[in-house]
Amino acid sequence: MILSGQQRGKLRDALINAYPNTSSLERMLSDELDKNLGAIAGEGSLQEIVFKLIEAANSQGWVEDLVSAARKHNPGNLELNAIAKEILNQQPRIQELQNMLVQARNRNNASYKLVAALIFMIIISVITNPEVRCLLKLQCPSTSSANNIATPTPDNTLLPPTAVNSSLNTQTLNNFKFQFQGCQRNGERVDCSLLITNLDKDRNLEIYASYNDIISRVIDNKGKVYFAKEVQFGGEKTYNFLRVNMIKDIQFEAVLSYEVNSEVDKFEAVEIRYYNNDTSWGKVVYDETNSNDKSRRLY
């Protein structure tokens, strides 16, 4: 079976939660599947390694084995159990439909041919249509436990922030304080930094450069968009995203890097994407309405 983008994201989060360092993940893969993590995913941060591991398992057809092995090796992890149940319960239903299709195809009766065509359409719908997937109890959209509102799908639309405090360049969103420090140029590389403080209980925060359709970006004064090439956060750096356990009231620096034409001397907007398990997807945007002009100039 092939996982959807949403399922890959859930599995990634669950594996990182269940196996918080490379050595524990490597041991699980070796003990349960007799596979070499280094040969599959190479070197890098834990986030990069888990991403490559899931991509390999997904494309090579052993993702169910990976999920089963991970759950078997750490049966007490609730997050891993939840995604394992979702993924492993999906396959029998699809297989049952496929078997019905084969049986119908082997008969010459016209009614069975009609049934075969209908089953084929259902299988296609299962793969592509979220409503049908939910109807067949394969996968339903996640909901907010507090308000019973469906979690919004991330998008790349530039929107103003939902909360801005009185100090320019500082925003408080979802009980995180984001303080924009400005951008510095080194040739065509531009680094934009911000300081982040968790104002709530200890919790995880992910800052994104570019992962699937979750992309941090900047827009210059001619309307050209530049996507982030790298993120540095919590002492590590990578090309997709990094997760840090944010201790309450402790300040962390995040740096997003872009490749920008040398003639550009100012950004009209800076948009940084983040994810937190408590509040789901979010974005912090700095533009002329909430940041001073100097902070968006390139030096």
Side-chain angles (χ1 to χ4, degrees):
M1 66 177 294
I2 301 296
L3 300 184
S4 67
Q6 185 182 46
Q7 287 175 321
R8 292 197 301 273
K10 288 182 180 179
L11 179 57
R12 178 205 72 215
D13 290 345
L15 286 175
I16 292 174
N17 181 268
Y19 302 96
N21 53 63
T22 304
S23 60
S24 62
L25 183 64
E26 185 176 31
R27 186 164 53 251
M28 179 277 291
L29 207 63
S30 176
D31 291 350
E32 302 295 338
L33 297 178
D34 195 26
K35 292 183 181 292
N36 187 303
L37 180 61
I40 296 169
E43 297 181 352
S45 67
L46 179 62
Q47 287 84 355
E48 289 177 301
I49 290 173
V50 171
F51 171 79
K52 292 175 184 177
L53 173 63
I54 293 173
E55 291 298 303
N58 200 37
S59 63
Q60 296 169 16
W62 51 277
V63 70
E64 297 102 318
D65 295 338
L66 173 62
V67 174
S68 297
R71 181 172 65 176
K72 178 184 176 182
H73 201 79
N74 189 352
N77 187 276
L78 298 179
E79 190 172 348
L80 188 56
N81 277 323
I83 186 60
K85 183 178 180 181
E86 176 182 319
I87 292 173
L88 298 177
N89 287 353
Q90 172 178 331
Q91 184 63 16
R93 290 187 175 91
I94 294 179
Q95 188 63 52
E96 183 180 352
L97 289 174
Q98 291 172 333
N99 291 339
M100 292 173 62
L101 176 61
V102 171
Q103 292 174 10
R105 188 176 56 190
N106 291 335
R107 298 174 181 265
N108 293 323
N109 189 294
S111 63
Y112 279 99
K113 291 183 178 179
L114 177 60
V115 170
L118 291 174
I119 292 175
F120 179 77
M121 293 173 63
I122 290 173
I123 292 174
I124 297 301
S125 297
V126 165
I127 297 173
T128 59
N129 191 303
E131 287 77 12
V132 175
R133 292 173 68 86
C134 190
L135 179 65
L136 295 179
K137 301 186 184 301
L138 296 179
Q139 179 186 4
C140 293
S142 59
T143 58
S144 166
S145 58
N147 301 314
N148 199 29
I149 300 173
T151 302
T153 301
D155 62 74
N156 284 321
T157 305
L158 187 62
L159 296 175
T162 56
V164 180
N165 71 14
S166 59
S167 175
L168 283 178
N169 300 333
T170 299
Q171 301 181 36
T172 300
L173 303 169
N174 304 316
N175 282 325
F176 287 102
K177 182 167 70 173
F178 298 89
Q179 297 170 280
F180 186 47
Q181 302 297 294
C183 301
Q184 290 190 331
R185 176 186 288 282
N186 183 9
E188 292 196 344
R189 177 188 173 102
V190 174
D191 295 331
C192 296
S193 66
L194 68 160
L195 300 177
I196 307 172
T197 306
N198 174 25
L199 304 179
D200 204 342
K201 61 184 179 181
D202 293 3
R203 52 190 173 147
N204 291 332
L205 179 68
E206 295 175 1
I207 299 295
Y208 282 74
S210 177
Y211 180 78
N212 292 336
D213 60 345
I214 316 302
I215 304 171
S216 291
R217 60 182 184 168
V218 293
I219 303 174
D220 69 18
N221 52 11
K222 295 183 179 179
K224 186 172 181 178
V225 178
Y226 302 87
F227 294 151
K229 300 294 185 181
E230 183 182 87
V231 56
Q232 300 177 57
F233 190 36
E236 296 187 75
K237 63 180 178 180
T238 185
Y239 62 90
N240 44 42
F241 71 94
L242 285 171
R243 171 191 286 184
V244 169
N245 181 258
M246 301 288 289
I247 302 170
K248 183 179 179 181
D249 296 329
I250 299 298
Q251 201 171 68
F252 289 80
E253 183 182 31
V255 179
L256 280 297
S257 300
Y258 308 83
E259 292 181 5
V260 180
N261 294 338
S262 57
E263 64 269 17
V264 176
D265 62 359
K266 178 187 173 185
F267 292 141
E268 291 300 310
V270 177
E271 176 186 283
I272 298 166
R273 303 300 301 273
Y274 67 89
Y275 177 82
N276 167 254
N277 290 337
D278 295 336
T279 55
S280 191
W281 301 101
K283 64 179 74 177
V284 54
V285 181
Y286 294 96
D287 56 25
E288 62 181 6
T289 67
N290 56 43
S291 62
N292 59 52
D293 185 78
K294 183 178 179 181
S295 69
R296 289 178 284 107
R297 289 197 173 275
L298 307 185
Y299 295 95

